[in-house]
């Protein structure tokens, strides 16, 4: 009975929650008209698709079922010039649209729409410029595709830690990598963007462009649509990495190993500790990365803990990332995230993550037996914010903040607000625990790519919000990007 009372308490709290990012929809016939207008405006490099074409189904597919919608049509632009025409048609007809890179954004409507889905998949080229030490990457690629292409070249980029994640969304939101301890965030490694502005003008954005350069480094889809990124590259040899899985009885041993690991300051080493609750059990996955073919001993405390299953070895960067695929698969479920930024995984903060994962895991499993709650603890080096400056995100680089992501996966469509409530409650509880632990996290920014829908801009962009609003007002006076979902300045 006690648990019934508790559930009622949080259902009541839900009445005050609502999603503000959803857009108004024009009529179906208006949208068909717009789709045909687009088809007439683009060159043969691009194409419009309608349901039930295979290409259409591919274009609207996303990682999370909660960010998947049937659009009126999809369009695959094949050139920046065509994308420019597409934006002009959408802007003048005021048609809602979505921009999909890797489709790994999870918030409803952030890269899905009932209007026109722009799938960036044809921007799929990777060009290494060894003279300059740069790599040009098309905005339709996923990081695993880029790693596979770069494998034989001996260079690599600061990119995402799991297969399927888009270059575009991750790099435009900030971008945490296994290489961030050595080279910073993805935004710190961009040399140039090719951008289609909201009014359709195609332009290059570099460090010479004060405002757009600042805005694109964390500001996602506020300033137009990026077609290409030119990144700084870094040498890449063989690596050592993989994962190990443990049962709940190793929780304390994992906590001790994690606490000690954070004192070691070895910038070639990276780990993620994932605590997951599903089907009545807590399990632990530890993901290891060392940027040399053999590890230095920095992980010895972890490796001494008995594992249920393990696959860690000397391998290539690309194969290592592929190996992690099954650990992060959405399996057709709905997925939502929330960030829980901390500056240290101290024993008290670790306990709070474990407690919340179990507590909410059990509560949510009672409502949907397919529910999983997981917390990803991701320590970085204390100096990892020092590789860049002047970016929309992170708004404050004066101390290292570990983003942390809490994830819920579930089946039942009616439970979306319950899941959102749980995520906010977990995140708030973690922040309170970190504050009680003496961490300076009262205003620690939530990573925009981890933040749950409804998060106030100030919580992600801090003191940058006003400048970002001004930049957007100047760049997008007609509010064309207001026709798509996502965080809006
Ligand atoms: C399994 C998993 C692992 C992850 N691992 C990492 C990680 O290691 N590091 C990390 O930093 N993040 C990680 N993330 C978070 C990730 O950065 C976000 O989910 C990000 O939004 C994914 O980008 P995408 O292109 O795949 O998504 P999409 O859903 O396609 O796009 C996300 C947002 O970016 C906008 N966008 C996409 N393309 C463009 C473009 N060309 N121009 C302008 N706007 C565009 C979209 O409109 C949307 O608002 C992970 C997420 C998942 C699900
Ligand atoms: C890139 O996209 C084009 C156009 O869709 C396609 O023909 C080509 O095969 C793709 N290239 C790669 C490497 O996937
Ligand atoms: C590499 O970049 C430099 C500087 O932008 C340019 O001059 C050169 O032509 C590029 N090389 C290739 C192979 O693209
Ligand atoms: C962007 O810069 C590249 C390299 O300097 C150049 O080839 C390209 O034409 C530029 N694009 C625009 C739209 O100015
Ligand atoms: C690691 O860095 C922290 C903070 O900068 C410092 O307190 C600690 O002594 C360092 N540890 C080692 C082993 O160098
Ligand atoms: C480890 O992963 C590799 C793929 O990278 C796979 O071939 C191998 O079978 C796995 N080994 C175990 C023991 O799971
Ligand atoms: C979580 O913490 C609360 C309060 O500190 C405690 O009552 C509860 O038993 C803990 N739950 C779990 C699953 O550890
Ligand atoms: C759980 O998932 C299974 C398999 O996908 C599905 O058949 C079932 O309906 C789901 N359960 C709930 C409660 O939605
Ligand atoms: C989904 O959740 C709603 C609200 O809790 C509930 O009424 C409904 O029975 C659930 N559906 C399934 C298939 O479990
Ligand atoms: C979390 O939700 C519970 C109700 O389930 C409530 O009592 C508690 O105050 C909430 N905690 C935070 C930090 O919001
Ligand atoms: C498009 O927007 C850019 C950036 O605000 C501006 O410089 C340019 O003049 C605009 N072009 C047109 C044709 O309005």
């Amino acid at each position: 009975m006690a648990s019934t009372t508790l559930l009622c308490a949080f259902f009541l709290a839900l009445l005050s929650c609502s999603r503000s990012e959803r857009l108004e929809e024009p009529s179906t016939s208006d949208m068909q008209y717009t789709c045909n207008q687009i088809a007439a405006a683009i060159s043969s490099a691009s194409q419009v698709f309608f349901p039930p074409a295979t290409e259409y189904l591919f274009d609207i597919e996303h990682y999370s079922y909660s960010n998947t919608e049937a659009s009126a049509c999809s369009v695959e632009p094949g050139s920046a010039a065509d994308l420019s025409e597409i934006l002009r048609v959408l802007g003048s007809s005021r048609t809602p649209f979505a921009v999909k890179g890797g489709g790994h954004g999870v918030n409803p409507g952030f890269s899905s729409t009932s209007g026109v889905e722009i799938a960036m998949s044809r921007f799929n080229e990777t060009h290494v410029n060894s003279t300059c030490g740069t790599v040009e990457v098309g905005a339709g690629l996923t990081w695993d595709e880029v790693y596979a292409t770069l494998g034989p070249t001996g260079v690599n980029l600061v990119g995402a830690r799991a297969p399927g994640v888009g270059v575009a969304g991750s790099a435009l939101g900030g971008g945490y990598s296994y290489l961030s301890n050595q080279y910073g965030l993805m935004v710190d490694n961009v040399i140039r963007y090719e951008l289609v502005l909201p009014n359709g003008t195609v332009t290059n954005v570099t460090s010479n462009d004060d405002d757009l350069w600042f805005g694109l480094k964390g500001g996602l889809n506020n300033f137009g649509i990026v077609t290409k990124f030119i990144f700084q590259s870094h040498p890449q040899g063989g690596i050592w990495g993989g994962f190990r899985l443990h049962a709940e009885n190793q929780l304390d041993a994992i906590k001790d190993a994690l606490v000690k690991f954070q004192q070691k300051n070895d910038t070639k080493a990276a780990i993620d500790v994932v605590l997951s609750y599903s089907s009545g059990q807590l399990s632990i996955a530890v993901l290891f990365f060392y940027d040399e073919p053999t590890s230095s001993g920095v992980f010895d405390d972890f490796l001494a803990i008995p594992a249920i299953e393990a696959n860690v070895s000397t391998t290539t960067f690309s194969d290592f990332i592929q190996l992690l695929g099954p650990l992060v698969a959405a399996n057709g479920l709905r997925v939502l995230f929330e960030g829980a930024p901390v500056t240290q995984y101290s024993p008290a903060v670790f306990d709070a993550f474990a407690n919340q994962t179990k507590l909410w895991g059990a509560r949510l499993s009672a409502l949907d037996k397919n529910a999983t709650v997981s917390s990803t603890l991701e320590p970085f080096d204390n100096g990892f914010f020092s590789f860049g400056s002047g970016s929309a995100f992170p708004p404050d680089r004066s101390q290292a903040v570990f983003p942390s992501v809490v994830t819920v996966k579930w089946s039942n469509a009616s439970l979306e607000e319950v899941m959102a409530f749980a995520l906010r409650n977990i995140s708030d509880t973690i922040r309170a625990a970190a504050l009680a632990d003496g961490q300076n996290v009262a205003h620690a920014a939530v990573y925009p790519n981890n933040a749950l829908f409804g998060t106030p801009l100030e919580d992600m962009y801090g003191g940058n919000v006003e400048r970002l609003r001004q930049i957007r007002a100047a760049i997008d006076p007609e509010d064309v990007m207001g026709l798509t979902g996502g965080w809006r300045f």
Side-chain angles (χ1 to χ4, degrees):
M1 287 310 106
S3 74
T4 312
T5 317
L6 225 134
L7 290 179
C8 289
F10 77 78
F11 276 115
L12 280 175
L14 291 178
L15 295 174
S16 60
C17 305
S18 75
R19 276 210 309 260
S20 55
E21 290 87 5
R22 285 257 162 108
L23 301 155
E24 265 182 54
E25 297 172 16
S27 75
T28 311
S29 62
D30 287 350
M31 285 193 289
Q32 292 298 321
Y33 182 77
T34 305
C35 293
N36 292 328
Q37 260 191 306
I38 291 172
I42 55 182
S43 77
S44 61
S46 307
Q47 211 172 340
V48 172
F49 297 100
F50 292 91
T54 315
E55 293 91 341
Y56 165 88
L57 295 173
F58 180 79
D59 291 345
I60 65 163
E61 192 184 333
H62 285 73
Y63 169 78
S64 167
Y65 200 73
S66 36
N67 181 23
T68 304
E69 273 179 79
S71 61
C73 63
S74 68
V75 55
E76 296 180 4
S79 68
D82 281 351
L83 183 52
S84 163
E85 292 303 322
I86 294 165
L87 267 186
R88 288 200 178 101
V89 172
L90 292 169
S92 61
S93 61
R94 302 301 299 166
T95 305
F97 66 95
V99 186
K100 184 182 120 177
H104 270 49
V106 296
N107 282 323
F110 273 41
S111 55
S112 62
T113 179
S114 57
V116 174
E117 180 82 54
I118 303 176
M120 297 295 286
S121 54
R122 295 193 185 191
F123 294 95
N124 64 357
E125 298 196 1
T126 305
H127 294 295
V128 178
N129 185 329
S130 38
T131 318
C132 292
T134 59
V135 180
E136 178 187 305
V137 181
L141 288 164
T142 58
W143 280 112
D144 53 307
E145 293 171 324
V146 175
Y147 299 144
T149 304
L150 293 179
T153 69
V155 299
N156 200 5
L157 298 178
V158 176
R161 294 164 292 180
V165 179
V167 170
S170 59
L172 286 170
Y176 296 86
S177 168
Y178 287 119
L179 300 173
S180 289
N181 290 336
Q182 297 177 81
Y183 312 118
L185 303 181
M186 294 180 212
V187 290
D188 302 333
N189 285 273
V190 179
I191 305 282
R192 171 162 61 91
Y193 303 86
E194 184 183 85
L195 174 70
V196 180
L197 287 162
N199 65 12
T201 303
V202 184
T203 187
N204 280 314
V205 180
T206 66
S207 57
N208 297 328
D209 302 274
D210 195 30
D211 284 343
L212 274 176
W213 181 244
F214 174 83
L216 285 176
K217 292 192 285 173
L220 287 155
N221 62 11
N222 276 277
F223 307 107
I225 304 179
V226 171
T227 48
K228 278 179 197 170
F229 297 83
I230 291 78
F231 290 108
Q232 179 68 53
S233 67
H234 303 284
Q236 183 69 64
I239 68 110
W240 183 93
F243 65 87
R244 301 177 87 240
L245 306 180
H246 307 271
E248 183 177 356
N249 61 1
Q250 302 298 347
L251 198 57
D252 284 338
I254 295 287
K255 172 172 61 182
D256 293 345
L258 175 59
V259 168
K260 284 193 204 156
F261 174 81
Q262 293 169 93
Q263 301 306 315
K264 293 187 178 160
N265 309 341
D266 184 339
T267 57
K268 289 189 173 181
I271 56 168
D272 287 329
V273 175
V274 189
L275 310 177
S276 295
Y277 184 100
S278 62
S279 312
Q281 282 188 331
L282 187 85
S283 61
I284 308 155
V286 186
L287 281 46
F288 299 94
F289 172 79
Y290 201 77
D291 199 7
E292 292 285 345
T294 49
S295 140
S296 64
V298 68
F299 303 121
D300 285 355
D301 293 318
F302 284 107
L303 299 177
I305 303 169
I308 298 166
E309 193 185 323
N311 195 339
V312 202
S313 65
T314 298
T315 178
T316 64
F317 195 93
S318 175
D319 286 352
F320 161 65
I321 295 295
Q322 287 300 340
L323 179 67
L324 305 180
L327 298 181
V328 299
N331 299 320
L333 294 170
R334 293 164 195 279
V335 183
L336 284 174
F337 301 144
E338 173 65 307
V342 300
T343 62
Q344 198 67 204
Y345 298 108
S346 61
V349 164
F350 183 95
D351 286 343
F353 272 109
N355 179 300
Q356 290 296 302
T357 306
K358 281 193 275 187
L359 192 69
W360 281 103
R363 281 181 190 169
L364 298 177
S365 302
L367 299 176
D368 182 330
K369 68 176 169 33
N370 295 333
T372 300
V373 177
S374 53
S375 297
T376 303
L377 282 50
E378 36 195 12
F380 286 91
D381 185 69
N382 285 315
F384 91 121
F385 273 175
S386 66
F387 295 88
S389 63
S391 48
F393 182 87
D396 174 8
R397 291 182 185 247
S398 66
Q399 65 172 351
V401 174
F402 307 158
S404 321
V405 55
V406 183
T407 306
V408 291
K409 297 179 186 166
W410 80 101
S411 292
N412 184 339
S414 344
L415 297 175
E416 186 178 278
E417 290 296 340
V418 177
M419 298 294 155
F421 179 87
L423 286 173
R424 286 201 186 89
N425 191 270
I426 297 171
S427 174
D428 290 346
T429 305
I430 300 296
R431 199 185 289 259
L435 281 167
D437 191 45
Q439 300 187 16
N440 178 19
V441 293
H443 303 289
V446 176
Y447 178 32
N449 274 329
N450 286 353
L452 179 67
F453 60 79
T455 301
L457 293 175
E458 286 72 15
D459 292 1
M460 300 174 280
Y461 297 99
N464 288 341
V465 172
E466 197 41 50
R467 179 175 176 196
L468 290 164
R469 284 207 170 104
Q470 284 166 13
I471 299 171
R472 195 172 108 73
I475 293 296
D476 190 11
E478 305 293 329
D479 193 26
V480 173
M481 299 313 290
L483 294 164
T484 190
W487 310 120
R488 197 63 56 226
F489 302 126

